[in-house]
Amino acid sequence: MNKKIVLASSSPRRIDIMHKHGYDPQIIPANIDETLPLGISMTDAVMFLALKKALSIEDKVERGSIIIAADTIVYKDEILGKPIDYKDAFRMISKIRNTSHFVTTGVAIIIAGENKKKAFYDITKVFCKNYSNEEINAYLDTDEPYDKAGAYAIQGIFSKYIDHYEGSFDNVVGFPWALIEKEIADISQT
């Protein structure tokens, strides 16, 4: 592929996944208002935010560049984004205890300066073990929960509280690579 790849994110996890698959993207983090329209579904929410991120950096890259943006949420009776503080993180981690929830990542891929735009999503069902309030508090005393949707990282310290999942692990990390790679190939062919 001869097109420049731009990642609209500074997420170390997303950058690592791209590097692992042989891509060295230009990194231009999107800085957008992530307020969602009232009543939006979890799938529409992540695609809306991913597309908003991709479009927000389009004028900062050279025409023809492939821009990739993503947004991840946890859903358990409501959208659980990044916690605003300790109390909010405690609420989120308590809510997913000993039950299942959904992790949805929306991805937008656009070609800068062209009318080629694609938004899609992936969903993984995650099952958590039972854990005590003391275990939650110990987890919340680490730095891990505060910049993560749903206040946890499946690949981090919290992994010991994950029973199992149905779907893509990379999706829960925040970057469903199998789908992304297919869509990069498709959009750069058209």
Side-chain angles (χ1 to χ4, degrees):
M1 178 186 316
N2 57 2
K3 293 184 184 276
K4 183 180 216 172
I5 303 282
V6 179
L7 180 62
S9 172
S10 59
S11 161
R13 297 157 302 278
R14 292 179 178 135
I15 294 167
D16 184 52
I17 289 171
M18 291 201 77
H19 286 166
K20 190 169 71 174
H21 292 282
Y23 290 86
D24 188 21
Q26 178 182 0
I27 308 301
I28 304 178
N31 186 11
I32 62 162
D33 173 6
E34 295 192 21
T35 304
L36 292 168
L38 289 177
I40 193 167
S41 71
M42 69 175 177
T43 54
D44 287 345
V46 291
M47 289 189 297
F48 170 81
L49 292 174
L51 187 57
K52 192 172 178 181
K53 289 175 182 179
L55 294 171
S56 77
I57 69 158
E58 185 175 15
D59 63 351
K60 298 176 182 170
V61 303
E62 64 185 70
R63 181 180 173 84
S65 297
I66 297 174
I67 300 169
I68 304 170
D71 194 81
T72 303
I73 59 151
V74 170
Y75 187 87
K76 178 64 181 177
D77 305 320
E78 63 177 313
I79 292 173
L80 304 175
K82 295 175 185 173
I84 56 172
D85 57 21
Y86 190 98
K87 183 178 175 183
D88 194 35
F90 188 94
R91 178 186 69 82
M92 290 181 189
I93 295 297
S94 297
K95 190 174 190 103
I96 63 172
R97 173 176 30 199
N98 203 31
T99 187
S100 65
H101 61 276
F102 296 100
V103 177
T104 305
T105 299
V107 179
I109 300 177
I110 69 173
I111 307 245
E114 299 179 20
N115 193 24
K116 294 181 182 177
K117 298 170 180 58
K118 178 82 184 221
F120 53 95
Y121 63 88
D122 196 11
I123 300 174
T124 302
K125 190 172 187 179
V126 179
F127 297 80
C128 289
K129 297 175 182 175
N130 201 1
Y131 38 83
S132 68
N133 285 350
E134 291 75 22
E135 288 171 307
I136 294 173
N137 286 321
Y139 174 65
L140 296 180
D141 285 339
T142 72
D143 292 334
E144 185 174 282
Y146 300 100
D147 68 338
K148 313 283 188 305
Y152 79 89
I154 195 170
Q155 74 281 11
I157 301 164
F158 195 78
S159 64
K160 64 185 174 185
Y161 300 118
I162 302 296
D163 186 69
H164 67 284
Y165 59 89
E166 296 170 356
S168 163
F169 179 84
D170 282 348
N171 179 57
V172 184
V173 174
F175 215 52
W177 184 254
L179 289 176
I180 291 168
E181 193 166 44
K182 176 189 173 305
E183 295 299 340
I184 290 172
D186 288 350
I187 201 166
S188 51
Q189 296 298 320
T190 57

